[in-house]
Amino acid sequence: MSGVLFRVDVGPGIGLGHIHRNLGLAEALRKLDIQSSFLLTNSEHGTSRVARCGFSVEHLGETKTGTIEDAKRVVTSASSCDCSIVVVDSYAVGSAYISHLRSSGLRAVVIADESCLETNANILVNGGAHACSLDYRSVGNDTKFILGPDYALLRPEFWDCSPRVVSESVRRLLLTVGGDDRWKLTEKLVEWIAGRLKVDTRLDLVVGPFFTGEEVIRRAVEASPVNIRIIAAPDHLHGLMMQSDLVVCCGGQTAYELAATGTPAVAMDIIENQSLGVKALARSGALIYGGRPSNDTLPDELDLAFTEAAGQLCRQRLSSSGQTLIDGRGAIRVAHVIQSEF
């Protein structure tokens, strides 16, 4: 079969989760000798990450996302890259966009987080823990739906994680809110964590590539009695996850990566499209739900959730349940579906 073009949104307000899950699928397709190219919204960080993985990459420039002009650019790029399949991961894209791709002879695979009334994609993929409960409908009755955590799209480092040995106590904590922090939660979380950790506990703090106000965060770190190390814009968190006894994070792609590695976590939902997924992960026992921040306030549930998760037996249950739910091989399964369908 010919190649696959990934049309992905990435950047401030979106973060890195979309690009990371699509890189996982592209790596799985490469294992099947199917070549992939990327067309991204403007993002130096997204472009460099794709290039470092060995895939060709272009960006949309000033083209407004989700428009017919955007779709036309996809058709042109697909032709130049000899791609007959387009994987689309963008909240801005609607049915008219997908219709344009299909009428141009392309097969359209849509990566989704949310419910939608109708879709006209050839294939719709939602690897969320909540996905099987969503009421998806196909416009032309020809959409193949690939739903549920068996299809969570993760990168190769998460494909074959060994069962985790859980420590007796939390000696190392990881704190991350993702690639973007538009709600300025990191500074509040640094202040919140003071007094909740033992003196010898180490805190690894991730500052994503789309953060603003890093100086405020650094001042909060310097003022904290906690032993904090700042990690700026890492390519991935796999190594940090494997070294951590507990993680405080937000929902989204990171929550599924944590489950695959068996890393116990307390996760908040900072935006609406994370809510169903993170709560479903909590119901499955893969993490503890830490609530939703409101304006300038951390959720009330966070203290209780953190206290519960600090216990060894709780962290052992979280680790085992997470790896039972997410085995990390969702991208491989989706790649085989794409190969067999097209």
Side-chain angles (χ1 to χ4, degrees):
M1 61 182 289
S2 60
V4 177
L5 176 66
F6 286 82
R7 164 62 187 87
V8 185
D9 286 354
V10 60
I14 299 169
L16 293 166
H18 292 224
I19 195 65
H20 285 167
R21 66 188 180 189
N22 283 280
L23 281 170
L25 180 53
E27 293 280 10
L29 289 167
R30 183 152 60 185
K31 292 285 187 182
L32 300 176
D33 293 323
I34 300 169
Q35 298 303 309
S36 298
S37 302
F38 281 75
L39 178 61
L40 308 179
T41 48
N42 287 341
S43 168
E44 177 184 346
H45 291 284
T47 300
S48 62
R49 285 170 191 245
V50 171
R52 285 197 294 274
C53 290
F55 299 105
S56 64
V57 56
E58 304 175 73
H59 56 78
L60 280 174
E62 299 302 316
T63 304
K64 186 177 180 180
T65 59
T67 62
I68 293 301
E69 287 70 27
D70 178 349
K72 289 178 178 178
R73 174 65 187 280
V74 170
V75 173
T76 301
S77 293
S79 176
S80 66
C81 297
D82 190 27
C83 296
S84 60
I85 302 163
V86 177
V87 175
V88 180
D89 194 341
S90 169
Y91 296 137
V93 166
S95 58
Y97 186 106
I98 301 300
S99 291
H100 185 86
L101 300 184
R102 294 190 63 173
S103 66
S104 301
L106 295 170
R107 302 296 188 101
V109 179
V110 169
I111 309 297
D113 297 317
E114 306 169 297
S115 179
C116 57
L117 293 177
E118 294 181 322
T119 180
N120 54 344
N122 295 99
I123 295 176
L124 184 142
V125 181
N126 185 336
H130 63 297
C132 292
S133 67
L134 298 179
D135 185 22
Y136 286 118
R137 295 190 292 276
S138 175
V139 173
N141 295 318
D142 63 348
T143 303
K144 185 178 185 68
F145 294 100
I146 305 175
L147 307 176
D150 282 346
Y151 302 102
L153 300 174
L154 303 182
R155 289 163 292 164
E157 56 266 29
F158 298 98
W159 290 356
D160 295 294
C161 297
S162 300
R164 190 178 191 95
V165 177
V166 174
S167 63
E168 291 185 8
S169 61
V170 177
R171 298 188 297 268
R172 192 160 176 174
L173 180 74
L174 175 63
L175 179 60
T176 174
V177 301
D180 189 13
D181 188 12
R182 72 182 98 166
W183 290 273
K184 311 300 182 186
L185 292 178
T186 300
E187 177 191 358
K188 300 178 183 66
L189 287 167
V190 168
E191 295 171 351
W192 166 80
I193 206 68
R196 291 174 174 83
L197 297 181
K198 294 181 180 179
V199 176
D200 59 347
T201 303
R202 174 171 165 174
L203 173 62
D204 289 325
L205 173 64
V206 175
V207 174
F210 306 119
F211 276 40
T212 58
E214 292 94 333
E215 186 57 38
V216 175
I217 295 172
R218 292 188 181 278
R219 286 200 297 269
V221 168
E222 291 169 359
S224 176
V226 177
N227 177 19
I228 303 176
R229 178 180 66 151
I230 297 177
I231 299 100
D235 273 355
H236 57 75
L237 300 181
H238 178 268
L240 290 168
M241 290 176 182
M242 298 304 295
Q243 296 167 2
S244 299
D245 301 308
L246 181 62
V247 178
V248 176
C249 64
C250 295
Q253 187 74 1
T254 298
Y256 291 88
E257 294 173 351
L258 290 166
T261 59
T263 308
V266 174
M268 300 170 285
D269 53 341
I270 58 173
I271 51 178
E272 185 64 34
N273 63 20
Q274 292 181 351
S275 183
L276 292 176
V278 75
K279 289 177 181 177
L281 287 170
R283 287 194 299 272
S284 73
L287 54 78
I288 295 181
Y289 178 56
R292 175 180 291 186
S294 175
N295 297 324
D296 296 329
T297 307
L298 294 175
D300 294 335
E301 299 98 320
L302 192 57
D303 273 317
L304 183 60
F306 183 80
T307 301
E308 181 182 358
Q312 183 184 18
L313 290 179
C314 179
R315 286 183 289 112
Q316 184 63 67
R317 288 195 300 270
L318 293 173
S319 180
S320 177
S321 296
Q323 291 191 300
T324 298
L325 183 70
I326 308 292
D327 66 3
R329 301 181 68 82
I332 297 172
R333 296 187 182 97
V334 175
H336 279 286
V337 171
I338 291 174
Q339 183 188 49
S340 64
E341 289 292 312
F342 302 144

